[in-house]
Amino acid sequence: MRHKRTENRGRPSNKPAIIVKKFTREYDDSIWYYDLDKSPNGPYLVEMIDPTYDKLEKLYNKLERLQTPKYHENGRKKRTTKADKIKMEATERAYWKEHYKLFPEDIPKKRKRRKKKSNV
């Protein structure tokens, strides 16, 4: 029959207790980021995970990544090629298409020509 362990036997450890300062907690609909140096009372960032906006967020991140300039090893800026511009335009078109699907009230109004009044 095993006895319940009440304490560790032997000499206590000289190592200091390791305190974890940065950690995350993942829940079903959100991710909570903790950093005890930034804010000791709670999370400094809470990301809400909403599957309806996942595609829109991915397209936005892709567009931002394509628009940031790339650099050579020596520090000079790389040239933006025609293929890169085509990728940017296609991504931007896909982003706005998805955006207007989710937020139909943001669709710009179509401007029409005014009909001329006939003075008779």
Side-chain angles (χ1 to χ4, degrees):
M1 187 157 114
R2 288 208 154 219
H3 297 287
K4 189 174 180 182
R5 256 179 118 170
T6 55
E7 62 181 68
N8 292 334
R9 294 186 165 229
R11 186 176 186 165
S13 175
N14 289 336
K15 294 179 185 176
I18 298 171
I19 300 170
V20 179
K21 298 262 185 180
K22 284 186 175 184
F23 57 95
T24 59
R25 289 192 177 161
E26 294 186 22
Y27 299 105
D28 293 337
D29 60 343
S30 61
I31 302 172
W32 295 46
Y33 294 92
Y34 291 88
D35 187 354
L36 299 179
D37 294 331
K38 283 184 183 180
S39 61
N41 297 331
Y44 70 92
L45 175 67
V46 177
E47 274 186 19
M48 301 305 289
I49 301 170
D50 194 357
T52 56
Y53 302 111
D54 275 352
K55 186 175 179 186
L56 188 67
E57 193 171 335
K58 283 180 185 175
L59 285 170
Y60 179 77
N61 291 337
K62 182 178 180 183
L63 188 63
E64 287 294 312
R65 189 179 70 247
L66 287 172
Q67 287 177 343
T68 54
K70 290 144 187 83
Y71 294 94
H72 289 283
E73 293 169 2
N74 61 4
R76 290 184 60 195
K77 196 167 146 183
K78 281 188 179 178
R79 182 173 295 181
T80 306
T81 61
K82 189 174 183 180
D84 293 339
K85 288 181 182 177
I86 291 170
K87 283 181 190 175
M88 278 193 275
E89 288 173 4
T91 306
E92 193 170 5
R93 233 180 280 118
Y95 171 79
W96 285 112
K97 183 179 178 183
E98 187 68 25
H99 179 84
Y100 293 143
K101 194 186 298 180
L102 294 171
F103 304 104
E105 67 274 3
D106 287 350
I107 298 174
K109 294 179 182 176
K110 293 182 180 176
R111 297 198 168 210
K112 298 177 184 174
R113 287 189 173 195
R114 286 181 134 185
K115 292 183 180 177
K116 288 188 176 182
K117 295 180 182 178
S118 59
N119 293 337
V120 178

